[in-house]
Amino acid sequence: MIAFANLLERLVFTPGRNAKIALLRRYFATQPDPDRGIGLAAVTGALSFAAAKPGLIRELAATRTDPELFAWSYDYVGDLAETVALMWPERPVNAPPPRLADVVATLATEHKSDLPGIVAGWLDASDASVRLALLKLITGGLRVGVSARLAKVAVADLSEGRVRPDDVEEVWHGLAPPYAELFAWVEGRAPRPDPAQAPVFRPPMLAHPLEQADFAALDAADWRAEWKWDGIRVQLVATDGGARLYSRGADDISAAFPEIVQAIRFRGVLDGELLVVRDGVVAPFSDLQQRLNRKSVGARMLREFPVAVRLYDMLFEGAQDVRQLPFDARRARLEAWYAAARPARMDLSELIAFDSLEHLAALRDGARAAAIEGLMLKRADAPYVPGRPKGLWWKWKREPLTIDAVLMYAQRGHGKRGSFYSDYTFGLWRTGEHGADELVPVGKAYFGFTDAELAHLDRWVRNHTVARFGPVREVEKAFVLEVAFDAAQRSARHKSGVALRFPRIARLRPDKPAAEADRLETLMRLVENAPTTNA
Amino acid sequence: MPHPETWLKVTSAGLFCEPGGFFVDPPRAVDRAVVTHAHSDHARPGHRAVLASPETLALMRTRLGEGQAGLSQQPLGWGERLRVGEVDVWLEPAGHVLGSAQVAMEWRGSRAVVSGDYKRAADPTTPGFVPIPCDVFVTEATFALPVFRHPRPEAEIARLLESVDLFPERTHVVGCYSLGKCQRLVALLRQAGWERPIYLHGAHVALCETYAALGVDLGELRPATVAGKAALVGAIVLAPPSAIADRWARRLAEPVVCSASGWMRVRQRAKQGGIELPLVISDHADWDELNATLDEVGAPEVWVTHGREEALIHAAGQRGIRGRALRLLGYGDEEA
């Protein structure tokens, strides 16, 4: 537990991705099984304990601390678990701190009524750092800023390059804590764990935004075009071991969309867009948002926000991996399969016929349906390559210009919005002085969202504040906002060197990892193409 | 026996010992001052006569300049009694920084002790706190909440060295105050076996030289300002808190920003400063030390100069010790 507590304490203060990977790597390299695997599960959010809740911590605090001193302390510290961890009265006990694996096993099995005594015993045997880790683990609020992906990168790093993060991804969902066979594999002590029939996630192929220079170089005959639908990217996986629906970030979202999982009556892996569709019409993204981030879903939600998947690619047909086939061949298989299977709640993403790129541009500009973001261009001969290969897939969004930016700061609004954090400063990634990625603020927006989105953002800001500067809160760099704007102009007055014209929050992207937000270079290229008035 | 409140008074110019005719740590220039230690919120410039430990006087001269550290300076060794007006005055170590003293005053059998800032943990750069039984104990309360319990400084130094080991290509820059914390960190690093040169921000150099002149061995120190980036790879640099995340830090190799302070105990405080490695190393008494000290000096009454007085007075009251908040302004501005 001491090593795990040290890890959490370092991670929570460490902004750099590479430093986080180094910390995780050292933890995995130095800790024994099964503790390190339990630690991996904890940081990737794979653990939760129904029996232990914040109320338990409050009760424990009440039994061991003076109520006035507790109130002053809580007021000062501002976080329940941290307050209790720091002020827990130390008494010398003849016991070592508990082992992480034992803590997790106990929390999962002991009866709720026995927990207060057990937890108090652990706290007595621990120092403040371990107490905090314990209490955060119990209440499920580790908040160390580590995505599941980052943890998998660190695990892969143990292999000295033999195992890539995407390789880990492809076995991950066939494994369970404490992941002993995974560590044995990356350390070269055992073969690759065979996910066998497990419905594992396959890293998706991603597109680059199409810019003017790229566009000019295209030959229309090489390319296929589809509408770019405004939903979320999903992967449907079905094997003899079961059916799953995954988000693009490898989260298993099956429980939130049971109607899709029920409609999977095939074997294979399909790539598509999850959309709310009513009577064949795709609803705006805000409707889909009603269904996101839910652990389960009720009958009313299922009825009012019916979802479907618009399929656009096939990775596996049955058990056969078809990712190496060219796009045209995969598409032919997808169409043939679809014609025969006619699965419920799924349709095919239409291929758009066009004679020339000019024709395509006109089609794009003419598309005004709210659920269409623009076009996807895919090379006819491209295999399905995980990650973001250059020059194979382009996303070509229609006007206005948009960027996916990371929320950095929030400020309270005025008047009716006085109680809301409604002014948002957002930033884009760039390579910093020392080669590490850093966020640079590029603008501020205070409209464009619905009331419900505002309430959501306000709550998120309050729960993820890392610093306060008067009325301004700095937040964890973990929330992606899609920002729409009319133009980008050069500006010497802005740190980023660019100013956005008329920026507004186009939508919230809680599904998108912050690391995948846009880069400043992407925005700067938009500047070069825009008329440079007011330079 | 007169109650100390009849002869030791809170005035707008600070704590005034009437029968002795002097102030203790006055916040503005006065005729006669007794100074507990050389931090700028306690040792102001421009007094006419200053009584303090020899080390405090030396540090005041370094910080304030010869002309500003008292027109007449009177050093007083540990435990030497001196008659000032009608009052017996003597100094005992407070353990806060080099030279830091508690001021003991006795008038007509009534004894008050002004502790200044103090700590109870061992510090290789300064003698340890000596409890003095008294009728009124005047204490600070900087960390007077039960959430403040400083871990062993050796364990915090071990965390720093472990990080240096994990990130050997980066510079570890530790934000710390130039008087006391800086030299204590150097001494702790030396105790932990760190024998390589330690690099200093320019603001830290003069006081380290004074420490060395006063007999505190700090090993080899080098100015960070003239060292190239390559020399600072894998190095430990000490700098004022204001410099660690500022332009000055650009000269460092991909710095791990650390901070050594009692405030680092609370995550929000560390995050506010953009600290990547918080080190809980304080020169003040923590909650347990404050309470243990009140019990040791056995004073029936405690006056609290500055800090979180309500919690300390509450806890003292539960043990039958009467507490009084002096609400002296201007203290606690410099360091922690």
Side-chain angles (χ1 to χ4, degrees):
Chain A
M1 197 73 206
I2 293 172
F4 181 65
N6 284 340
L7 173 69
L8 295 189
E9 195 161 333
R10 287 297 314 252
L11 285 176
V12 82
F13 293 111
T14 298
R17 175 184 154 89
N18 289 341
K20 281 181 179 171
I21 292 171
L23 291 164
L24 286 162
R25 185 205 150 107
R26 181 186 56 168
Y27 175 78
F28 296 139
T30 56
Q31 294 307 301
D33 292 320
D35 297 84
R36 58 177 172 174
I38 299 294
L40 173 59
V43 297
T44 55
L47 301 176
S48 82
F49 311 105
K53 287 285 167 254
L56 168 81
I57 296 175
R58 261 178 207 284
E59 285 164 32
L60 278 176
T63 64
R64 292 286 189 99
T65 60
D66 176 286
E68 290 220 57
L69 293 177
F70 179 81
W72 278 319
S73 297
Y74 188 19
D75 187 50
Y76 181 82
V77 174
D79 178 278
L80 178 67
E82 190 178 351
T83 307
V84 175
L86 292 178
M87 74 180 294
W88 187 258
E90 301 197 344
R91 43 168 87 160
V93 290
N94 200 5
R99 274 187 69 172
L100 177 60
D102 295 339
V103 167
V104 169
T106 305
L107 288 173
T109 53
E110 288 296 323
H111 191 265
K112 192 175 174 182
S113 60
D114 295 331
L115 280 179
I118 294 170
V119 174
W122 288 336
L123 296 177
D124 283 338
S126 304
D127 67 8
S129 160
V130 173
R131 289 196 297 264
L132 182 57
L134 266 170
L135 295 176
K136 289 281 179 189
L137 187 67
I138 288 170
T139 51
L142 291 183
R143 295 230 178 95
V144 289
V146 171
S147 64
R149 176 69 180 183
L150 196 70
K152 291 166 197 164
V153 170
V155 169
D157 211 33
L158 291 176
S159 75
E160 310 287 354
R162 283 178 299 106
V163 177
R164 293 164 305 150
D166 279 349
D167 299 331
V168 173
E169 206 73 88
E170 295 212 5
V171 299
W172 178 261
H173 284 283
L175 305 171
Y179 306 110
E181 65 275 48
L182 173 65
F183 287 112
W185 172 44
V186 296
E187 289 171 344
R189 293 183 287 109
R192 175 177 182 267
D194 181 6
Q197 297 303 328
V200 297
F201 176 74
R202 310 289 172 174
M205 180 166 179
L206 305 172
H208 283 275
L210 184 65
E211 287 147 23
Q212 204 59 41
D214 305 310
F215 181 72
L218 300 184
D219 180 343
D222 295 337
W223 295 88
R224 305 291 175 257
E226 297 170 53
W227 296 119
K228 185 178 189 321
W229 294 96
D230 195 5
I232 66 164
R233 183 89 176 266
V234 290
Q235 187 174 99
L236 291 70
V237 184
T239 65
D240 290 343
R244 296 280 187 279
L245 184 67
Y246 292 111
S247 73
R248 59 180 271 174
D251 291 328
D252 183 348
I253 54 173
S254 307
F257 301 98
E259 69 266 56
I260 301 296
V261 178
Q262 281 159 21
I264 298 177
R265 310 248 183 236
F266 54 88
R267 296 287 178 270
V269 179
L270 303 177
D271 191 354
E273 196 81 2
L274 185 71
L275 303 162
V276 169
V277 182
R278 295 190 190 90
D279 302 326
V281 178
V282 178
F285 186 79
S286 54
D287 280 22
L288 180 59
Q289 270 185 318
Q290 302 296 319
R291 294 287 305 269
L292 299 178
N293 299 319
R294 290 176 183 275
K295 289 209 168 105
S296 62
V297 59
R300 191 182 65 85
M301 276 285 160
L302 287 170
R303 199 172 55 246
E304 292 182 9
F305 300 98
V307 292
V309 178
R310 190 144 288 176
L311 299 167
Y312 38 64
D313 216 321
M314 176 180 267
L315 285 66
F316 280 67
E317 181 164 23
Q320 187 193 357
D321 187 346
V322 298
R323 287 177 289 181
Q324 287 310 309
L325 299 180
F327 176 83
D328 278 352
R330 297 199 309 278
R331 176 76 194 191
R333 283 183 178 235
L334 178 67
E335 288 179 5
W337 166 81
Y338 183 83
R342 290 282 158 195
R345 294 189 175 277
M346 294 170 215
D347 60 12
L348 290 184
S349 169
E350 172 197 1
L351 280 184
I352 301 166
F354 61 98
D355 319 321
S356 65
L357 293 171
E358 292 69 32
H359 181 199
L360 201 55
L363 285 172
R364 184 191 72 125
D365 293 341
R368 278 298 162 202
I372 293 180
E373 287 188 290
L375 291 170
M376 290 296 302
L377 299 184
K378 299 176 178 176
R379 258 196 90 94
D381 58 2
Y384 192 95
V385 183
R388 204 185 295 272
K390 189 85 180 169
L392 300 182
W393 283 14
W394 299 107
K395 53 182 172 187
W396 194 22
K397 290 191 184 182
R398 66 176 167 84
E399 302 296 341
L401 302 170
T402 63
I403 44 168
D404 287 340
V406 181
L407 178 60
M408 299 179 71
Y409 305 93
Q411 186 169 359
R412 281 176 194 256
H414 300 285
K416 274 201 312 197
R417 287 218 195 123
S419 69
F420 281 97
Y421 285 91
S422 60
D423 295 12
Y424 307 109
T425 301
F426 45 84
L428 299 178
W429 295 105
R430 71 170 171 199
T431 305
E433 266 190 29
H434 305 292
D437 278 352
E438 63 178 17
L439 283 170
V440 57
V442 295
K444 195 172 170 180
Y446 46 91
F447 66 97
F449 36 75
T450 64
D451 287 353
E453 286 172 335
L454 173 60
H456 180 87
L457 274 172
D458 180 66
R459 194 165 53 246
W460 194 91
V461 165
R462 289 169 194 276
N463 288 335
H464 296 79
T465 299
V466 297
R468 296 167 200 218
F469 311 94
V472 177
R473 289 189 180 215
E474 181 177 4
V475 297
E476 282 175 35
K477 309 303 178 296
F479 199 100
V480 176
L481 300 170
E482 184 177 306
V483 179
F485 55 96
D486 286 355
Q489 298 173 340
R490 288 190 175 282
S491 164
R493 288 181 296 121
H494 292 74
K495 186 178 172 188
S496 61
V498 60
L500 302 184
R501 212 42 208 117
F502 206 48
R504 63 265 192 193
I505 306 295
R507 62 183 178 127
L508 315 187
R509 294 298 307 269
D511 58 305
K512 186 160 192 167
E516 290 182 25
D518 285 313
R519 302 189 62 82
L520 183 60
E521 300 92 271
T522 306
L523 180 60
M524 295 311 283
R525 279 193 288 271
L526 297 174
V527 170
E528 282 156 22
N529 299 338
T532 51
T533 52
N534 300 339
Chain B
M1 188 182 82
H3 190 284
E5 70 189 6
T6 63
W7 57 272
L8 186 60
K9 296 188 170 171
V10 177
T11 74
S12 60
L15 200 57
F16 183 58
C17 177
E18 220 164 52
F22 61 85
F23 290 86
V24 180
D25 290 353
R28 62 184 77 139
V30 297
D31 187 50
R32 276 143 52 96
V34 178
V35 172
T36 59
H37 65 286
H39 278 142
S40 63
D41 49 343
H42 294 259
R44 298 288 186 184
H47 304 311
R48 186 188 61 77
V50 175
L51 177 73
S53 72
E55 295 86 354
T56 292
L57 290 172
L59 292 164
M60 283 176 73
R61 286 193 294 274
T62 302
R63 297 206 92 177
L64 303 173
E66 287 287 345
Q68 287 296 305
L71 289 179
S72 89
Q73 301 177 354
Q74 183 169 9
L76 191 60
W78 301 129
E80 290 175 25
R81 282 190 178 235
L82 181 74
R83 189 82 172 181
V84 181
E86 301 170 17
V87 180
D88 274 343
V89 178
W90 69 101
L91 305 178
E92 294 289 357
H96 176 56
V97 299
L98 181 59
S100 67
Q102 307 171 73
V103 180
M105 292 160 282
E106 202 168 85
W107 184 60
R108 298 185 183 166
S110 164
R111 185 189 290 175
V113 172
V114 178
S115 59
D117 292 332
Y118 65 98
K119 71 170 174 286
R120 305 302 303 270
D123 178 342
T125 66
T126 182
F129 181 95
V130 175
I132 311 167
C134 53
D135 302 304
V136 162
F137 184 66
V138 185
T139 184
E140 58 144 324
T142 306
F143 290 116
L145 275 179
V147 294
F148 292 110
R149 284 206 191 84
H150 310 324
R152 291 188 315 113
E154 294 79 11
E156 298 299 284
I157 292 294
R159 292 176 59 232
L160 172 60
L161 293 179
E162 189 185 27
S163 185
V164 172
D165 189 50
L166 181 63
F167 299 111
E169 72 290 356
R170 302 173 69 184
T171 303
H172 281 66
V173 58
V174 186
C176 57
Y177 291 95
S178 59
L179 168 54
K181 189 69 63 62
C182 166
Q183 297 77 22
R184 185 180 179 205
L185 289 177
V186 171
L188 285 167
L189 282 164
R190 299 306 185 203
Q191 278 186 347
W194 184 262
E195 286 167 5
R196 291 157 57 182
I198 292 172
Y199 292 84
L200 299 180
H201 183 280
H204 285 0
V205 172
L207 286 161
C208 285
E209 286 170 356
T210 305
Y211 262 62
L214 292 168
V216 180
D217 180 17
L218 298 175
E220 186 183 351
L221 305 176
R222 289 184 187 170
T225 320
V226 296
K229 204 170 250 189
L232 297 178
V233 167
I236 295 175
V237 176
L238 306 184
S242 57
I244 52 176
D246 205 354
R247 277 180 301 186
W248 180 85
R250 285 185 191 164
R251 73 193 66 233
L252 309 175
E254 205 192 332
V256 178
V257 177
C258 317
S259 173
S261 162
W263 300 115
M264 293 298 111
R265 175 90 167 168
V266 175
R267 279 189 172 181
Q268 191 68 24
R269 291 292 290 248
K271 284 214 152 192
Q272 261 170 0
I275 304 302
E276 188 165 344
L277 179 59
L279 302 170
V280 188
I281 300 178
S282 175
D283 285 331
H284 291 266
D286 68 7
W287 173 252
D288 291 337
E289 292 169 357
L290 287 168
N291 282 287
T293 303
L294 298 195
D295 292 339
E296 275 183 73
V297 300
E301 190 166 320
V302 166
W303 298 354
V304 184
T305 52
H306 63 289
R308 312 217 130 241
E309 58 267 16
E310 71 278 59
L312 188 59
I313 289 172
H314 171 81
Q318 288 177 330
R319 307 201 294 280
I321 302 169
R322 191 179 150 223
R324 174 184 169 202
L326 298 186
R327 305 190 199 286
L328 291 180
L329 300 177
Y331 289 161
D333 291 346
E334 186 178 25
E335 51 66 63

